[in-house]
Amino acid sequence: DVKVTQSSRYLVKRTGEKVFLECVQDMDHENMFWYRQDPGLGLRLIYFSYDVKMKEKGDIPEGYSVSREKKERFSLILESASTNQTSMYLCASLRGEYGYTFGSGTRLTVV
Amino acid sequence: AQSVAQPEDQVNVAEGNPLTVKCTYSVSGNPYLFWYVQYPNRGLQFLLKYITGDNLVKGSYGFEAEFNKSQTSFHLKKPSALVSDSALYFCAVKEGSQGNLIFGKGTKLSVKP
């Protein structure tokens, strides 16, 4: 079974800090995604990647960047964390016609 | 442009009663449709999908969904609800096997004893 692992379940960071959220998948999938989830807004796509060193902006990329140096790892970077980036962050890997496999999520609080 | 609508923010059902969580979609080509479930403080889990074939698809935990092309709907159903079914449910659509999923805003299902 495909596994998508997010390194932290809960994270508390200070305003202005640089924050790294890590995501690793174990099935050699090419497509990986980062979403944030907020009450009433559903899932919003931040960035996605179709291959190593490739990245595409999603619907809300402002304040974020990503890194895909290896196929299995897709990192989300908050360059300077702000309180409005407090959210649940979800990583996903594409399984073709089976849709996505999601990680367990990282609940980030910026204080 | 692709879109998905879940018209109900919350659905309340008594345990043992049938449940329906509604979803309508809009795509220009053939839709790939999915339902996911999310339990508190967890990621989304795959429930079921429609790609082609029989309009009634069966998934995990006794859930099923009916694809209706003329009404562009893909409603999630279960004949007899359990308290443990209480969770957040997301409908999603994409065109073809590649590409990004578009998610609805989610419907909170609450099943009371």
Side-chain angles (χ1 to χ4, degrees):
Chain A
D1 223 13
V2 177
K3 281 199 73 173
V4 177
T5 303
Q6 293 185 232
S7 53
S8 305
R9 291 290 306 280
Y10 299 94
L11 215 49
V12 180
K13 296 293 181 181
R14 295 195 179 279
T15 301
E17 274 194 80
K18 190 169 186 175
V19 181
F20 293 86
L21 302 184
E22 305 288 347
C23 176
V24 178
Q25 49 97 358
D26 65 356
M27 283 299 289
D28 203 37
H29 290 160
E30 292 178 344
N31 299 355
M32 297 185 74
F33 305 83
W34 274 107
Y35 288 87
R36 65 175 282 177
Q37 181 183 10
D38 302 286
L41 297 177
L43 274 68
R44 293 182 290 168
L45 182 62
I46 305 171
Y47 268 95
F48 58 101
S49 169
Y50 287 144
D51 205 345
V52 175
K53 295 193 185 298
M54 291 183 67
K55 59 186 178 185
E56 297 283 345
K57 293 180 180 179
D59 300 320
I60 52 163
E62 296 79 18
Y64 303 94
S65 63
V66 290
S67 172
R68 186 107 182 259
E69 295 297 317
K70 294 184 178 181
K71 199 173 200 179
E72 67 269 21
R73 186 180 297 270
F74 190 36
S75 302
L76 180 69
I77 303 159
L78 285 65
E79 297 289 344
S80 177
S82 64
T83 54
N84 63 11
Q85 292 178 309
T86 291
S87 186
M88 173 72 128
Y89 289 87
L90 295 166
C91 176
S93 168
L94 177 63
R95 294 182 65 196
E97 68 174 37
Y98 293 96
Y100 292 1
T101 297
F102 282 87
S104 296
T106 297
R107 185 165 292 281
L108 172 68
T109 302
V110 182
V111 298
Chain B
Q2 303 169 66
S3 65
V4 175
Q6 292 181 244
E8 301 151 318
D9 291 335
Q10 180 153 347
V11 170
N12 298 313
V13 178
E15 187 174 32
N17 283 1
L19 70 87
T20 299
V21 182
K22 294 179 181 177
C23 173
T24 59
Y25 67 91
S26 174
V27 297
S28 55
N30 291 325
Y32 281 37
L33 292 155
F34 302 83
W35 275 101
Y36 291 84
V37 60
Q38 185 182 35
Y39 298 101
N41 293 311
R42 306 292 299 185
L44 276 67
Q45 298 176 31
F46 171 82
L47 267 183
L48 51 80
K49 64 177 171 70
Y50 171 83
I51 306 296
T52 187
D54 195 351
N55 289 344
L56 185 65
V57 293
K58 295 189 183 298
S60 307
Y61 312 122
F63 283 93
E64 58 190 27
E66 186 168 12
F67 172 64
N68 187 317
K69 189 172 184 178
S70 62
Q71 296 185 3
T72 61
S73 67
F74 189 56
H75 301 331
L76 181 70
K77 302 183 181 188
K78 188 173 183 181
S80 179
L82 299 172
V83 172
S84 57
D85 292 330
S86 298
L88 192 55
Y89 291 81
F90 288 93
C91 182
V93 67
K94 65 188 179 90
E95 285 186 69
S97 61
Q98 297 302 313
N100 303 340
L101 275 176
I102 306 298
F103 287 88
K105 290 194 184 320
T107 298
K108 183 178 180 181
L109 174 65
S110 177
V111 182
K112 295 282 193 261

